[in-house]
Amino acid sequence: MADKTMSADEVAGRLADGMTLGIGGWGSRRKPMALVRAVLRSQVRDLTVVSYGGPDVGMLVAAGRVRRLVVPFVTLDSIPLEPHYRAARERGGVELTEIDEAMFMWGLHAAANRLPFLPVRAGIGSDVMRVNPRLRTVTSPYEDGETFVAVPALRTDAALVHVNRADRLGNGQYLGPDPYFDDLFCEAADTAYVSCERIVETAELTKDAAPQTLLVKRHTVTGVVEAPNGAHFTSCAPDYGRDEAFQKTYATTPWPEFAERYLGGDEQAYRSAAGEGA
């Protein structure tokens, strides 16, 4: 079985302009920020980003790398609306497809199962159909005759996720309270890249944790990146919580200034600068 380890910059080097990119995590929780920073160091642009959005979306949009977003929300959790995303939306610089959280989840399920769509009740009776006129409905062929929203598959070219532990083969483990659909992001993608706090031997993954914590399966993973503190400044429970002080710095600093101060160098430079600014 192949050793799938690589660097974050190698992951970014495999992405191409115009790709559809799925990003795991939720809001400002366990986002693959080391991989996002690597994307920002690359020249890739014109992306379609599919995400339960947080600072991953805010940074990529602020840097002008995104053409279209597919999101149910973009939040920093303790700061309700991601400010750099908001600024981009106010400028009108990005195309937005905004759908209900449950619709988004079933779009990932459809893609993971290689189905064109899945029928869901979420969205019926709401404005989601008005703001997304391309959405269609389907009628049950059985006696109930119920009408459902036909949520299209959220198939992606590549997925980026962050977990607590992984092995070199691509098995990924979460140790916190919520899996955040990261397995679906990997299964819905043509290629998937997993960053982790620490790479361990396969046997160590279940030495002190249940097999059910092996969220990401190796057959869905293309590459593994060891990235300690790789979700910073978002949380990665139980390894660390959200860096609220640094998140506030991010939220209140104009993007050009933030990018120059914290994103102008490599990952080590980011860690040094973030340590000074936290």
Side-chain angles (χ1 to χ4, degrees):
M1 291 181 283
D3 183 330
K4 298 178 181 178
T5 55
M6 59 179 61
S7 71
D9 289 325
E10 286 175 323
V11 171
R14 295 190 175 201
L15 305 182
D17 292 354
M19 273 189 169
T20 297
L21 183 63
I23 304 179
W26 177 285
S28 195
R29 289 172 260 179
R30 214 177 70 223
K31 284 290 181 177
M33 298 307 296
L35 298 183
V36 170
R37 290 189 287 270
V39 173
L40 291 169
R41 289 193 295 270
S42 76
Q43 297 302 310
V44 69
R45 58 189 64 252
D46 197 34
L47 296 170
T48 294
V49 172
V50 178
S51 175
Y52 285 105
D56 54 325
V57 169
M59 289 186 181
L60 291 170
V61 167
R65 306 302 184 90
V66 180
R67 177 182 59 83
R68 177 179 174 234
L69 288 173
V70 182
V71 294
F73 53 74
V74 185
T75 180
L76 297 179
D77 291 318
S78 57
I79 300 173
L81 185 59
E82 215 285 352
H84 298 295
Y85 159 78
R86 179 181 62 190
R89 284 289 296 154
E90 289 173 348
R91 293 193 303 269
V94 62
E95 179 185 343
L96 177 66
T97 299
E98 188 175 24
I99 56 177
D100 172 90
E101 293 173 22
M103 296 170 70
F104 190 97
M105 177 186 70
W106 285 106
L108 291 176
H109 272 292
N113 287 281
R114 301 305 186 258
L115 296 171
F117 72 92
L118 278 175
V120 300
R121 292 189 177 93
I124 294 291
S126 77
D127 273 351
V128 73
M129 303 299 290
R130 179 183 62 81
V131 300
N132 293 286
R134 296 178 63 183
L135 283 177
R136 297 291 181 263
T137 59
V138 293
T139 302
S140 168
Y142 299 104
E143 294 179 0
D144 58 281
E146 187 174 352
T147 297
F148 300 92
V149 177
V151 177
L154 292 177
R155 188 73 182 269
T156 58
D157 297 303
L160 309 178
V161 305
H162 186 78
V163 295
N164 300 92
R165 307 287 183 269
D167 66 13
R168 295 178 181 275
L169 306 177
N171 296 298
Q173 180 179 50
Y174 80 102
L175 298 174
D178 199 318
Y180 305 137
F181 308 106
D182 285 357
D183 54 335
L184 290 179
F185 275 99
C186 292
E187 292 167 12
D190 293 338
T191 58
Y193 302 95
V194 177
S195 61
C196 64
E197 292 298 310
R198 184 159 58 92
I199 291 177
V200 300
E201 295 299 320
T202 303
E204 189 176 334
L205 292 170
T206 53
K207 182 179 179 181
D208 298 310
Q212 292 85 349
T213 62
L214 297 180
L215 173 71
V216 176
K217 310 301 189 294
R218 66 175 184 262
H219 73 274
T220 67
V221 173
T222 308
V224 180
V225 177
E226 186 171 62
N229 216 31
H232 184 271
F233 51 92
T234 73
S235 63
C236 186
D239 291 313
Y240 48 85
R242 183 163 52 241
D243 187 339
E244 295 286 0
F246 189 80
Q247 176 165 278
K248 184 177 180 180
T249 297
Y250 165 75
T252 57
T253 303
W255 173 253
E257 179 182 338
F258 181 88
E260 180 179 2
R261 181 175 181 184
Y262 296 105
L263 305 177
D266 60 14
E267 190 66 11
Q268 185 57 49
Y270 168 81
R271 292 179 188 176
S272 298
E276 293 169 0

